[in-house]
Amino acid sequence: IQDNAVTLAKMAGLARGKLIYGDSSGDPAALAVGSADQVLTHDGTDISWATASAGLSEANAIGLIIALG
């Protein structure tokens, strides 16, 4: 196969929401869909799904604005 000869149209089907990434061997792999309220994270080497941390609350936002003056 020539470089860049495989297009998306020529690839096998992929379930909705899955992502294609390079695995530890440099081969393409499919990352399964995460659960509700999970976000894609990266540890410097691999990607994975993790539970999203709580966002900035209104009270903390007001405190931050006051602190920054």
Side-chain angles (χ1 to χ4, degrees):
I1 297 177
Q2 294 178 339
D3 288 345
N4 302 315
V6 178
T7 64
L8 289 175
K10 295 177 183 175
M11 293 176 60
L14 190 67
R16 182 178 182 176
K18 285 190 175 184
L19 299 172
I20 299 172
Y21 70 100
D23 68 11
S24 61
S25 300
D27 296 321
L31 181 66
V33 178
S35 300
D37 298 323
Q38 285 191 317
V39 295
L40 191 60
T41 63
H42 190 276
D43 66 3
T45 303
D46 297 310
I47 59 174
S48 62
W49 295 106
T51 301
S53 61
L56 187 62
S57 71
E58 183 178 352
N60 287 341
I62 293 168
L64 181 60
I65 293 168
I66 293 169
L68 293 176

